Structures are given as structure tokens and as C-alpha cells.
Amino acid sequence: YAAEKAFVDKEELALLEELAGNLSYALDVLDARARANKSELELRNLRRAVEQTPATVVITDLEGRIEYVNPSFTHVTGYTAEEVRGQNSRILKSDRTPPELYKELWETILGGRTWSGEICNKRKDGTLFWEQASISPVRDEAGVTRHYVAVKEDITAKKRAAEELEGTQQQLQQSQKMEAVGRLAGGVAHDFNN
């Protein structure tokens, strides 16, 4: 083959190389668009899930100023997203949650860990409600905390039911004690009469 005339001359080779470069570029663009479309779809699905969940979702900056709330937040608290955006999350604070709990909460999330527990908060109308909350740092690609996210469930009805059940159990125990005392007194009276 070395003795044969070149199958492709230099000009044709240059055109083929240019075409290969253009095809490579086009495939890269198509691939990037496909990845972007997939990312957009994932973001849309995530947004829908957060907006439709019955759990309250709150995203704050590092100072605790509210940047995002989902519709469940409005349903539970009575505040609209517009009313709380830029406000400190203390807007919900009640006097029922001890300061030590808030100290522990902030120490935990500032330490890069997730805090979980119960908090008594206050609605826009002033009524109190209990939430089971999980608050976590949100980190960027470099691992630096940029936001906090709270996922919370209104547990007011559950706590009320538990308190009522405890009260009923105490009444039952008291009633059983009184019944036992009555039987004992009846037995003593019976023995006394005989």
C-alpha cells in the first residue's frame, strides 16, 4: 500500500477532520441538552413533591430568615409565603418551648448535624400548635452549609389525644382504687357484723 497513491488528499482529510470536529461538538451539545432536560424534569418533580407533601417545609438562610415555605406551611400556620419571606423563623416562636431547646437546636445545626424534636409554635392567629421537626443543614458542592431546611409535622391532635388517653387512664386507675377500697370496706363491715 505504501507505493499506492493516497486514497484521500490533504484537502479532503482537512474537511473530514473539520466534519468530525463539528459532529463531536453537535453530539456534545445534544448530550448537554439531554442532561439539562433531565435535570429540569428532576427539579420539577422535586418541586411538585415539596409543594404537595402534607409536611411543612421551610428553607432559611444561615441567619434563620425564611426564604421558602410550601403550601402546607400556610395551611398550618395561617401565614402566606409573602408574609414570612425575609422574616426570621422566630415569628412562630411561642413561650412554651424552653430556651435550652433552641440553644441545643442551633448548636446541633451549626455543628453540621440534623436536629429532631418537638417544638410548640404559634400560628398567625395566636393559637399554639405542636410540631415534630427535623432541621438539617443544606450544603453546597464544596460541603459548606448555605441554608437550613426544616421538615415538620403538626402533631397537635396527636398530643391532645395522648393527653386525653393519659387522663382517662388516670381516671380508670382512680376508679379501680376506689372500687378496691369499697370492697375492702365492705369486707371489713361484713367481718365486723359477724
Side-chain angles (χ1 to χ4, degrees), residues 154-168:
D154 183 351
I155 58 168
T156 307
K158 289 179 185 177
K159 282 190 77 74
R160 192 172 294 131
E163 288 170 3
E164 289 174 7
L165 179 60
E166 185 178 324
T168 302

Side-chain angles (χ1 to χ4, degrees), residues 71 96 106:
R96 286 282 193 83
W106 278 101

Side-chain angles (χ1 to χ4, degrees), residues 3-77:
E4 291 183 24
K5 186 176 176 187
F7 183 70
V8 178
D9 65 22
K10 287 182 181 181
E11 196 174 292
E12 290 173 329
L13 184 60
L15 285 174
L16 287 173
E17 287 175 351
E18 184 179 342
L19 179 60
N22 288 342
L23 284 173
S24 176
Y25 175 76
L27 289 173
D28 286 346
V29 168
L30 288 174
D31 185 50
R33 284 184 185 165
R35 283 193 312 268
N37 287 340
K38 182 179 178 190
S39 293
E40 280 182 38
L41 178 62
E42 288 173 353
L43 283 173
R44 267 197 308 268
N45 287 339
L46 179 60
R47 183 173 187 91
R48 284 186 195 124
V50 169
E51 288 179 351
Q52 294 174 21
T53 185
T56 298
V57 178
V58 180
I59 299 174
T60 69
D61 65 11
L62 297 178
E63 308 300 318
R65 286 184 298 268
I66 298 171
E67 294 184 355
Y68 172 84
V69 296
N70 70 342
S72 290
F73 175 90
T74 298
H75 176 75
V76 170
T77 68

